[in-house]
Amino acid sequence: MKRSLDYKNKVILAPMVRVGTLPMRLLALSYGADIVYTEEIIDWKLLKSERRVNDVLKTIDYVDKTDGTIIFRTCDQEKGKVVLQLGTANAERALQVGLKLQQDIAALDVNMGCPKDFSIKGGMGVALLYDLERAKGILKTLVDNLDIPVTCKIRIMPKLEDTFRTVKELESTGIAAIAVHGRTKIERPRHPVHPDIIREVAKVTKIPVIANGGSQEMNKRSDILKFRDACGASSVMVARAAQWNCSIFREEGPLPIEEIIDQYLRLAVDYDNPPSNTKYCVQMILRELQETKEGRKFLDSQTLEQICDVWNLGSYCREKQLEYHNAGIQGRRQACPGLAAEEQDENCPSKKAKMENYVDEDVIQHNICFIRANYNDDRELPKSKLYLYTVKNNLKLPKYEVVQKVKLFRATVLVGDTKYSSSFWEKSKKYAEHSAALTSLLHLGIISKEKLIEKGSMIG
């Protein structure tokens, strides 16, 4: 029996890359959103994932079997309200994804509106609007074979009659609703949205139309509804305005930025969200406030604990991480969303086996990160201090070796006959070398553990 999802009179969190992850979706629901969309996820990523029940976090995780990355995470709090947006150009792959995930999502949406080169070159996103037979084939295959509603999100065409024709063709596949972004393929957020076009589209369709693209005029919930009414649409979908201030969904009015960040970070900690993703979302909330003293301190943070420390939530984060560790979940404390959890935690029993490709068994390791803001004088940089140490003691100059995993780096440094490495994965080769140098400086007694802890570089 097919499940249904009511798309009428709904206020919706739009799909946004890197923003529409679980913490932000839950935050939007808590503020009054009726439906929440995931970020766009490409079909092949989901196909190579494995469904796992996470008993500690009380989540369902779709995990990349090759590297442990969480591709999609959901929980009971969003059950019946989360729509997965799929990036695809192939009906067979799309169906495989739908069959695989339909038990855990309320509906499946096909992205036919993304104008980015990555999507277009892959035949996805807005490219599907210029390949209607393929687009219809994907939607019809999904509609005919899934037990959940199927929708799509499009952009308007340069000509009104082409928009009409496209919408009617897509509607004929049996989709439950259609989201319309009121800009063309070449138009960007700086260009004015076209609510009049969406209004004309809504007049000719029999299915609910979800209006999208009005963030520039939105500061509170009443503005969302005003845009919906201007478009004559059944529902409205909010992207950037919600990215900047997710409390825009509140009937009582938006909340201060500090309160939103506090609530978002608690959810990020509760659901073990990757530090890199958490940091990106907070950046989107802060916007110009990144230039404040607090903002600059935040920008220098790399771990989830360091991010939370800026807003006095460090102890909450550490308590949760310890709880998860004791329960068997190795958290993402090393800020490496691309690595399996076991590969990231220096205390994991299977770490030696997992990390053998990165460091030798005889390497001295500490969990230390390099924070550039701690060093105003380049002569005090870890690599500089280690260089001077070797020259003073007539040793061979330090020799660094760097390995890369996904977009992160770890380094090993040879000082004399001893190798040193930090178990922290850094965002650049240079930072990784500095972390390795810090490890050697600590072991050699050149810098104290207390000093590293004071600087926020010593983790765990």
Side-chain angles (χ1 to χ4, degrees):
M1 182 177 178
K2 281 196 178 280
R3 283 184 274 155
S4 62
L5 183 63
D6 185 5
Y7 285 96
K8 295 179 180 178
N9 298 315
K10 295 296 185 289
V11 176
I12 302 168
L13 177 71
M16 290 178 282
V17 174
R18 298 183 69 184
V19 174
T21 47
L22 183 58
M24 191 63 76
R25 299 197 305 266
L26 292 179
L27 191 64
L29 288 172
S30 73
Y31 288 146
D34 300 303
I35 299 172
V36 289
Y37 278 55
T38 70
E39 60 180 336
E40 178 195 26
I41 308 179
I42 307 303
D43 52 15
W44 61 263
K45 286 188 176 182
L46 288 162
L47 289 178
K48 70 174 184 175
S49 70
E50 177 180 78
R51 184 183 188 272
R52 298 179 189 172
V53 177
N54 190 323
D55 291 325
V56 178
L57 296 180
K58 308 300 181 188
T59 59
I60 300 296
D61 299 341
Y62 284 83
V63 184
D64 189 324
K65 291 179 288 188
T66 63
D67 62 12
T69 303
I70 305 296
I71 304 299
F72 171 58
R73 169 170 281 167
T74 186
C75 66
D76 281 347
Q77 285 90 321
E78 63 176 3
K79 193 174 182 65
K81 299 177 180 178
V82 61
V83 177
L84 187 138
Q85 188 181 66
L86 184 66
T88 188
N90 182 278
E92 182 180 346
R93 286 200 305 269
L95 179 58
Q96 290 178 26
V97 170
L99 292 171
K100 184 174 184 176
L101 277 85
Q102 64 177 349
Q103 62 185 310
D104 297 315
I105 56 178
L108 185 66
D109 181 82
V110 178
N111 184 352
M112 298 185 179
C114 180
K116 300 293 180 62
D117 284 345
F118 168 80
S119 288
I120 294 175
K121 289 177 180 177
M124 302 180 293
V126 77
L128 288 172
L129 297 183
Y130 295 85
D131 190 354
L132 264 182
E133 289 308 309
R134 181 192 295 267
K136 288 167 59 181
I138 293 171
L139 294 177
K140 189 77 168 67
T141 299
L142 294 173
V143 169
D144 289 350
N145 293 281
L146 295 183
D147 295 332
I148 56 176
V150 176
T151 63
C152 65
K153 183 172 183 289
I154 71 168
R155 284 182 169 245
I156 60 174
M157 310 293 277
K159 295 181 179 180
L160 181 59
E161 57 267 29
D162 290 336
T163 303
F164 283 170
R165 180 175 64 87
T166 299
V167 170
K168 295 301 289 183
E169 291 276 0
L170 297 177
E171 182 183 26
S172 71
T173 64
I175 54 176
I178 186 166
V180 182
H181 183 106
R183 292 184 179 86
T184 65
K185 172 184 174 181
I186 63 172
E187 290 178 326
R188 294 297 179 264
R190 66 179 179 274
H191 296 111
V193 68
H194 303 284
D196 53 324
I197 304 298
I198 301 177
R199 186 169 58 249
E200 294 303 314
V201 169
K203 290 178 181 178
V204 301
T205 59
K206 296 178 181 178
I207 58 175
V209 170
I210 305 168
N212 177 232
S215 282
Q216 288 181 348
E217 308 300 323
M218 295 178 184
N219 294 298
K220 53 187 180 298
R221 187 181 177 94
S222 60
D223 296 332
I224 300 175
L225 302 180
K226 182 179 178 181
F227 178 70
R228 179 200 64 190
D229 294 343
C231 295
S234 300
S235 295
V236 61
M237 179 179 279
V238 186
R240 288 177 304 124
Q243 172 182 280
W244 299 328
N245 189 329
C246 196
S247 69
I248 193 171
F249 294 112
R250 293 178 80 245
E251 292 185 358
E252 305 87 344
L255 296 169
I257 292 297
E258 294 77 14
E259 190 169 340
I260 296 167
I261 292 176
D262 179 279
Q263 294 177 11
Y264 170 76
L265 287 178
R266 289 178 186 275
L267 287 167
V269 171
D270 290 346
Y271 290 97
D272 193 30
N273 202 52
S276 58
N277 179 256
T278 301
K279 186 172 183 177
Y280 178 83
C281 290
V282 174
Q283 283 182 278
M284 295 302 100
I285 298 171
L286 281 176
R287 299 172 74 193
E288 66 275 2
L289 295 178
Q290 293 178 69
E291 298 304 315
T292 64
K293 181 179 179 181
E294 189 176 59
R296 288 194 294 272
K297 183 180 178 182
F298 157 73
L299 291 176
D300 287 330
S301 62
Q302 297 179 56
T303 68
L304 197 52
E305 292 99 322
Q306 290 169 355
I307 296 171
C308 287
D309 274 331
V310 178
W311 283 277
N312 301 313
L313 289 171
S315 58
Y316 179 78
C317 181
R318 283 182 280 275
E319 287 172 7
K320 277 288 186 180
Q321 292 284 9
L322 180 60
E323 175 188 330
Y324 295 155
H325 179 85
N326 292 338
I329 288 184
Q330 312 304 329
R332 298 176 178 272
R333 297 174 62 187
Q334 279 73 30
C336 183
L339 291 180
E342 288 184 346
E343 291 178 344
Q344 298 176 53
D345 196 292
E346 63 178 357
N347 299 312
C348 178
S350 61
K351 174 184 171 296
K352 185 179 291 186
K354 291 286 185 179
M355 294 304 298
E356 62 185 3
N357 292 329
Y358 306 126
V359 294
D360 298 328
E361 292 185 8
D362 60 346
V363 174
I364 294 173
Q365 292 186 75
H366 292 287
N367 198 15
I368 296 173
C369 68
F370 172 71
I371 302 176
R372 183 63 178 87
N374 288 336
Y375 303 91
N376 296 320
D377 187 344
D378 286 353
R379 291 171 298 182
E380 293 298 312
L381 287 168
K383 288 180 65 177
S384 299
K385 290 179 74 72
L386 184 59
Y387 172 85
L388 293 175
Y389 170 84
T390 55
V391 170
K392 183 178 179 180
N393 290 276
N394 296 316
L395 299 172
K396 290 183 179 179
L397 296 181
K399 183 178 180 181
Y400 295 89
E401 293 182 1
V402 180
V403 293
Q404 181 177 358
K405 182 71 172 179
V406 192
K407 295 182 180 180
L408 299 171
F409 302 83
R410 280 186 64 182
T412 299
V413 60
L414 178 66
V415 183
D417 297 322
T418 307
K419 293 180 180 180
Y420 304 90
S421 179
S422 170
S423 54
F424 188 94
W425 289 84
E426 294 281 7
K427 63 184 179 181
S428 72
K429 177 181 176 182
K430 184 180 294 185
Y431 276 29
E433 291 175 344
H434 281 305
S435 291
L438 277 173
T439 302
S440 67
L441 294 173
L442 172 65
H443 188 77
L444 294 167
I446 300 171
I447 188 169
S448 69
K449 180 177 181 179
E450 291 72 25
K451 191 67 174 177
L452 288 174
I453 292 174
E454 177 187 329
K455 288 177 173 289
S457 292
M458 195 82 183
I459 306 169

